[in-house]
């Protein structure tokens, strides 16, 4: 599947500084390339940055099929179509699962793998309230405020509602629509199950960026991560949760900037 994307070309802020190579960012479930503008602009000081809309998200095509292997196939097609050589791959949540799956299936292709707050294991589809908050008819709503009020009946968390509403689009007719394939994602409730059917060992240089207060990473996950990735660095932002690229952006970008400054 041909994916929509945004490109942030390499723009060195130091005269004579060379690009470290291409950087690809994969968003999480219900996200899009729009969530990564500030991060992408900052990282473009090191190399060209591609922020992808994965299938059923953003401006990419919708499909009735949605699984980690298929998303990894989409990524493979993107890398091939754009002739990207040894890219650095950053993946958050669902995007992190896709990134790990791709790395396991294509050893030696990536220059570096950066995973944000997810482990190579099965996860439950615990997004019932998110789905409900986007499943009512948008006919008759004249403002985002009205839609937000209705969403709050199903999803009290203001932060998550605002995150979801980044995929809320107002058409020329004045009507609203979800760019997300809400019904398709609702039917893909096993997307996070059994994506990793067997234990593999990755030799790719890998960095895990973890929120210290995140519910997505357990002590057992830390053991699993250290078992699977042989060339590993783990960075924990102690007060962070699952969305550290947004809630703790300064610390997040400092970690990546320090890492990228070491790459020649």
């Amino acid at each position: 599947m041909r994916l929509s994307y945004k490109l942030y070309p390499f723009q060195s802020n130091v005269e004579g500084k060379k690009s470290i190579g291409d950087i690809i960012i994969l968003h999480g479930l219900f996200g899009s390339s729009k969530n990564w503008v500030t991060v992408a602009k900052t990282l473009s000081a090191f190399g060209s940055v591609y922020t992808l809309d994965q299938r059923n998200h953003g401006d990419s095509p919708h499909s009735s099929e949605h699984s980690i292997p298929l998303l990894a196939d989409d990524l493979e097609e993107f890398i091939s179509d754009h002739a990207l050589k040894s890219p650095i791959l950053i993946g958050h949540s669902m995007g992190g699962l896709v990134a790990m799956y791709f790395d396991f299936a294509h050893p030696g292709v990536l220059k570096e793998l950066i995973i944000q707050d997810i482990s190579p294991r099965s996860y439950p589809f615990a997004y019932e309230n998110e789905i409900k908050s986007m499943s009512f008819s948008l006919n008759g709503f004249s403002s985002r405020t009205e839609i937000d009020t209705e969403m709050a009946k199903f999803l009290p968390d203001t932060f998550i509602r605002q995150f979801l509403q980044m995929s809320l689009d107002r058409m020329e007719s004045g009507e609203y629509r979800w760019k997300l394939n809400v019904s398709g994602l609702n039917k893909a409730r096993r997307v996070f199950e059994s994506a990793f059917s067997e234990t593999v060992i990755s030799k790719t240089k890998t960095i895990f960026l973890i929120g210290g207060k995140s519910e997505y990473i357990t002590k057992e996950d830390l053991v699993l991560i250290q078992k699977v990735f042989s060339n590993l660095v783990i960075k924990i932002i102690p007060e962070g949760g699952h969305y550290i690229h947004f809630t703790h952006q300064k610390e997040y970008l400092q970690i990546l900037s320090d890492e990228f400054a070491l790459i020649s």
Side-chain angles (χ1 to χ4, degrees), residues 76-95:
E76 180 181 14
E77 183 177 359
F78 180 87
I79 291 173
S80 177
D81 286 349
H82 292 82
L84 304 183
K85 303 297 182 183
S86 300
I88 296 168
L89 183 58
I90 301 174
H92 171 230
S93 199
M94 179 185 75

Side-chain angles (χ1 to χ4, degrees), residues 14-32:
V14 178
E15 185 176 353
K17 181 180 177 182
K18 294 183 179 180
S19 168
I20 64 172
D22 297 308
I23 302 164
I24 302 171
I25 300 178
L26 299 178
H27 62 78
L29 183 68
F30 306 132
S32 75

Side-chain angles (χ1 to χ4, degrees), residues 144-161:
R144 288 177 174 266
T145 301
E146 291 179 357
I147 294 172
D148 182 64
T149 299
E150 186 67 19
M151 290 179 70
K153 296 177 182 178
F154 306 95
L155 188 63
D157 191 319
T158 302
F159 175 82
I160 299 298
R161 292 201 313 274

Side-chain angles (χ1 to χ4, degrees), residues 33-238:
S33 58
K34 289 176 65 176
N35 308 137
W36 293 87
V37 173
T38 301
V39 172
K41 286 181 177 179
T42 301
L43 297 185
S44 67
F46 299 94
S48 292
V49 182
Y50 297 81
T51 57
L52 276 55
D53 287 336
Q54 300 191 81
R55 67 167 60 196
N56 294 316
H57 295 73
D59 293 318
S60 284
H62 289 186
S63 170
S64 59
E65 297 181 299
H66 193 88
S67 68
I68 298 303
L70 285 176
L71 295 171
D73 288 345
D74 295 341
L75 172 62
E76 180 181 14
E77 183 177 359
F78 180 87
I79 291 173
S80 177
D81 286 349
H82 292 82
L84 304 183
K85 303 297 182 183
S86 300
I88 296 168
L89 183 58
I90 301 174
H92 171 230
S93 199
M94 179 185 75
L97 295 176
V98 175
M100 288 185 283
Y101 189 97
F102 178 87
D103 177 55
F104 298 159
H106 303 86
V109 169
L110 300 177
K111 177 178 290 186
E112 192 163 316
L113 178 65
I114 299 171
I115 303 299
Q116 180 183 331
D117 212 61
I118 203 76
S119 179
R121 63 168 170 90
S122 296
Y123 283 83
F125 190 90
Y127 305 99
E128 189 70 36
N129 291 338
E130 285 85 347
I131 291 293
K132 287 181 178 178
S133 75
M134 296 185 288
S135 294
F136 58 84
S137 173
L138 297 178
N139 292 337
F141 287 91
S142 59
S143 71
R144 288 177 174 266
T145 301
E146 291 179 357
I147 294 172
D148 182 64
T149 299
E150 186 67 19
M151 290 179 70
K153 296 177 182 178
F154 306 95
L155 188 63
D157 191 319
T158 302
F159 175 82
I160 299 298
R161 292 201 313 274
Q162 291 176 344
F163 166 68
L164 296 177
Q165 288 166 23
M166 293 188 75
S167 295
L168 184 62
D169 183 39
R170 189 167 193 174
M171 299 177 286
E172 291 184 3
S173 65
E175 297 177 313
Y176 288 90
R177 71 179 180 98
W178 290 106
K179 287 189 173 183
L180 293 164
N181 182 2
V182 178
S183 62
L185 294 173
N186 185 35
K187 294 174 182 176
R189 288 172 174 260
R190 300 187 64 184
V191 61
F192 304 132
E193 294 181 13
S194 304
F196 307 102
S197 57
E198 59 182 70
T199 302
V200 296
I201 301 297
S202 170
K203 297 180 180 180
T204 303
K205 183 177 182 181
T206 303
I207 299 176
F208 270 76
L209 299 177
I210 296 170
K213 294 186 175 181
S214 171
E215 298 177 351
Y216 285 73
I217 300 291
T218 65
K219 292 181 180 179
E220 290 76 16
D221 286 326
L222 292 175
V223 173
L224 173 62
I225 290 167
Q226 293 178 72
K227 180 180 179 181
V228 171
F229 296 93
S230 63
N231 188 1
L232 173 68
V233 174
I234 296 176
K235 298 286 187 177
I236 299 176
I237 298 178

